[in-house]
Amino acid sequence: MDTFAIGDQDFLLNDEPFRVLSGAIHYFRVHPDLWADRIHKARLMGLNTIETYVPWNEHVPVPGSFHTDDGLDLGRFLDLVAAEGMRAIVRPGPYICAEWDNGGLPTWLFSDPTVGVRSSEPGYLAAVSSYLEAVLAVVVPRQITHGGPVILLQIENEYGAFGKDKEYLQHLVDLSKRSGVDVPLFTCDQPFGTMIEDGSLPELHKTGTFGSRAEERLAFLRERQPTGPLMCAEFWNGWFDNWGTHHHTTGAAASAAELDALLTAGASVNIYMFHGGTNFGFTNGANDKGIYEPTITSYDYDAPLSEDGHPTAKYFAFRDVIAKHFPVPEEVPSERVPLPTSVVTVSESVHLLSAAVAASQVPGPIPPVEVTGRYRGFSLYQTSLETGGILSFSEVRDRAQFFLDGFPLGTLSRELGERTIAVPAGGRLQILLEDQGRVNYGQRIGESKGLMGPALLNGVEVLDWEIGAVDLDSLAAFREAATGLPVGGTTAGVAGPSVSFATFEADGPGDRFLRLDGWTKGNAFINGFNLGRYWSRGPQRTLYVPGPLIREGANELAILELHGSATREVSFAVGPDLGPDEK
């Protein structure tokens, strides 16, 4: 039986010193048919371990469930890591941050206002226990002590930046051990102030998270943990992007120099990210430190392996650094081969507001969208107005488009702090509300979405609303209602909000990059799969289409456009365009 332990200065694999050279791959951000490819390329860069978070809200979308189908098959992912001859680190949270919707915490958890999140409050502990027991049922049989790849399990995640409830941390430790975890447990926190002490327990191995000044950060960590292996559990070699900003990059040479400093100091490392992947659908998170900033669809992260799984200059720079310290495989992955471009023209469309949206009457004040039982995407508020005037809300979360009898009145944005709009007298008011991503870091985690009341028309509260979720899991209702577009050539645009359809032919599976120049804002779907959000404000200009989504013969493209397009054409580009780099 293999063993993995923490020694006085080193990790010990079967009692021999072992340096963890890990790279982060989030299985839930990568099409499952591409997992093996990404893992293999990690080994070719010289890594010996794969690290992943586990997103609670994906696996448990409603209480009492635990989904492990398709892209949520954590067991299969870990088995593929083992098949590649690599080790694994699992970080199940329950909070993961990760620029992921709500930091991975399920929205249903917050339906009870008495639940004390990330604390020893009994209701929260009961929910956490149910979730972790299900995760550990997958992980425990795959520990190294059972012949599997898992060598380390994390307790919570950067908890010192949030709180210091030691009873809560002890509960997570006790539950893990009671469930059969016998590999070392660790915590990670930023090497600043008292975060490392606040976010851990004496019995847990402490690691740091940072992307620069490696020697200084490691010295800080060593002062607080005199023995045991030094480890950077998140070596930030890139960064994420928000809508309306530039594409963040870090120089390959500078990042490689920091990695070299880490390895020269004898530290273990987990490269965050080795391969970032994609925030498919409505899974992106957001920041709010005074200004709401939703994360874009791409999670390329300027990582060594690009969003579509190809080596970058940083990949080869990191490989050269690792080769200075450890053997690396002779095989080198091939670089991207440009694909031919093509143009697709949408031919059918249906107005979103004319499609059926199952709505419920909610008496009293305007409700948050959570009353629909759906926690992502779009919701439709409706009411009848007898008088016009100024309609106001305490806050808009996150973006609302207003229509009176189908006629557009304007848009209110949380990002801009907009809360009031003029509405005419008489007619049916419809408000299309977009949840642009739940905050994943800080004290605003778990907040409600929607139009925050009171809703006041000329100072008088508007009561009794209808609200329904826009179901985009299946496009069947929109497809059935779609009709041919008016004659006018391909330069004639499409009015929004609407869902448009097109068919295109393909020789078979293969990556694509969908470019939507001339379109404004919305989501795109390939054969019913939600690729994620697009927005003309950038920086991202293409959406990654994983090759396994494409089938031989006819394929369907659907576009949810919120405002309108100047064209009916979209194109498949030769490669990704994530916008101008940081200067």
Side-chain angles (χ1 to χ4, degrees):
M1 177 186 296
D2 289 330
T3 61
F4 193 81
I6 293 174
D8 291 339
Q9 296 295 322
D10 301 292
F11 289 113
L12 300 175
L13 175 61
N14 296 326
D15 298 323
E16 295 294 328
F18 179 82
R19 195 88 71 87
V20 177
L21 305 175
S22 176
I25 302 175
H26 297 158
Y27 61 97
F28 46 93
R29 280 183 159 125
V30 181
H31 192 285
D33 291 353
L34 301 174
W35 288 345
D37 172 78
R38 292 1 181 201
I39 295 167
H40 177 64
K41 288 171 179 173
R43 185 178 66 81
L44 296 187
M45 198 178 81
L47 302 181
N48 57 29
T49 304
I50 298 296
E51 174 270 315
T52 188
Y53 279 130
V54 181
W56 184 1
N57 55 1
E58 292 301 293
H59 285 280
V60 190
V62 294
S65 64
F66 190 74
H67 293 195
T68 57
D69 53 331
D70 300 325
L72 294 176
D73 193 344
L74 173 61
R76 179 188 169 211
F77 179 77
L78 294 175
D79 292 344
L80 289 171
V81 172
E84 191 64 36
M86 302 182 75
R87 310 299 179 181
I89 300 171
V90 179
R91 304 168 73 191
Y95 165 76
I96 65 172
C97 186
E99 291 72 60
W100 187 258
D101 185 56
N102 223 30
L105 298 176
T107 303
W108 54 259
L109 185 67
F110 300 89
S111 60
D112 182 351
T114 67
V115 169
V117 176
R118 301 182 77 188
S119 74
S120 53
E121 188 276 319
Y124 176 69
L125 291 185
V128 166
S129 298
S130 175
Y131 158 66
L132 284 180
E133 287 168 357
V135 173
L136 295 177
V138 176
V139 174
V140 165
R142 292 175 171 86
Q143 295 177 106
I144 189 172
T145 50
H146 295 242
V150 178
I151 57 175
L152 291 167
L153 184 88
Q154 182 173 292
I155 297 296
E156 246 285 347
N157 183 52
E158 291 192 324
Y159 186 64
F162 180 86
K164 51 182 178 181
D165 187 336
K166 303 299 185 178
E167 183 180 347
Y168 166 50
L169 294 177
Q170 190 64 56
H171 177 88
L172 300 182
V173 170
D174 293 344
L175 186 150
S176 298
K177 292 182 176 180
R178 190 167 60 247
S179 298
V181 175
D182 54 17
V183 296
L185 303 174
F186 74 100
T187 56
C188 75
D189 281 285
Q190 298 178 50
F192 299 105
T194 62
M195 290 186 190
I196 288 177
E197 295 93 328
D198 291 345
S200 193
L201 296 171
E203 68 187 89
L204 298 175
H205 189 65
K206 301 168 184 64
T207 67
T209 59
F210 52 87
S212 61
R213 296 157 64 183
E215 294 176 354
E216 176 185 335
R217 310 301 191 205
L218 292 174
F220 185 98
L221 181 61
R222 179 55 80 204
E223 288 177 2
R224 284 146 184 81
Q225 185 168 249
T227 64
L230 291 168
M231 182 171 182
C232 178
E234 285 189 13
F235 174 56
W236 303 324
N237 64 321
W239 208 245
F240 57 93
D241 298 333
N242 302 114
W243 291 111
T245 63
H246 53 262
H247 173 46
H248 293 77
T249 60
T250 57
S255 292
E258 289 291 346
L259 178 60
D260 194 25
L262 271 169
L263 298 183
T264 299
S268 288
V269 66
N270 175 51
I271 295 168
Y272 190 100
M273 300 288 298
F274 165 72
H275 171 58
T278 308
N279 296 315
F280 294 118
F282 302 112
T283 59
N284 65 279
N287 280 335
D288 193 334
K289 300 176 182 179
I291 298 177
Y292 176 73
E293 298 176 314
T295 306
I296 68 170
T297 298
S298 172
Y299 201 65
D300 177 83
Y301 211 85
D302 193 37
L305 202 69
S306 67
E307 181 182 9
D308 59 317
H310 287 276
T312 66
K314 191 174 290 182
Y315 180 100
F316 293 106
F318 279 20
R319 190 176 189 274
D320 289 343
V321 166
I322 294 170
K324 289 173 56 179
H325 301 269
F326 304 96
V328 300
E330 292 184 5
E331 181 186 351
V332 176
S334 60
E335 299 186 49
R336 181 187 296 109
V337 176
L339 296 173
T341 61
S342 60
V343 174
V344 179
T345 303
V346 299
S347 58
E348 294 182 313
S349 183
V350 57
H351 198 273
L352 187 67
L353 300 183
S354 67
V357 175
S360 299
Q361 186 78 31
V362 179
I366 191 168
V369 300
E370 287 81 13
V371 301
T372 66
R374 297 178 68 88
Y375 305 125
R376 288 176 177 161
F378 295 87
S379 301
L380 185 64
Y381 287 87
Q382 300 182 81
T383 192
S384 295
L385 298 179
E386 295 182 0
T387 61
I390 301 300
L391 182 63
S392 67
F393 308 90
S394 63
E395 190 178 6
V396 174
R397 301 179 190 161
D398 300 310
R399 196 169 186 272
Q401 293 174 249
F402 290 75
F403 305 86
L404 191 69
D405 294 330
F407 182 82
L409 301 177
T411 300
L412 297 183
S413 167
R414 170 181 181 172
E415 184 180 359
L416 300 177
E418 297 168 325
R419 301 179 181 182
T420 61
I421 189 169
V423 296
R428 187 69 169 167
L429 180 68
Q430 294 177 296
I431 309 171
L432 184 62
L433 191 288
E434 180 185 6
D435 167 2
Q436 292 185 281
R438 293 179 185 267
V439 172
N440 56 258
Y441 186 85
Q443 300 304 315
R444 298 199 71 158
I445 290 175
E447 64 185 4
S448 295
K449 292 287 191 176
L451 296 166
M452 300 295 104
L456 302 177
L457 180 61
N458 301 326
V460 178
E461 186 169 12
V462 181
L463 303 173
D464 303 331
W465 292 79
E466 289 183 23
I467 183 172
V470 180
D471 184 4
L472 295 169
D473 292 339
S474 170
L475 300 176
F478 298 100
R479 192 179 298 110
E480 292 172 4
T483 59
L485 289 163
V487 176
T490 59
T491 58
V494 174
S498 60
V499 180
S500 301
F501 294 90
T503 300
F504 66 95
E505 297 289 324
D507 294 335
D511 286 353
R512 305 283 197 282
F513 303 93
L514 184 66
R515 193 173 188 102
L516 293 112
D517 294 341
W519 298 72
T520 306
K521 189 181 194 303
N523 285 68
F525 304 76
I526 294 288
N527 294 324
F529 182 89
N530 192 337
L531 299 176
R533 310 176 203 255
Y534 67 88
W535 199 351
S536 59
R537 70 185 298 196
Q540 180 174 358
R541 299 295 180 190
T542 55
L543 290 175
Y544 172 53
V545 183
L549 296 178
I550 304 295
R551 54 195 179 216
E552 183 178 0
N555 293 264
E556 180 190 75
L557 167 68
I559 304 173
L560 166 62
E561 168 58 46
L562 294 175
H563 295 280
S565 67
T567 178
R568 296 179 192 166
E569 292 182 343
V570 297
S571 62
F572 288 114
V574 296
D577 181 354
L578 299 180
D581 293 346
E582 181 177 12
K583 302 299 182 185

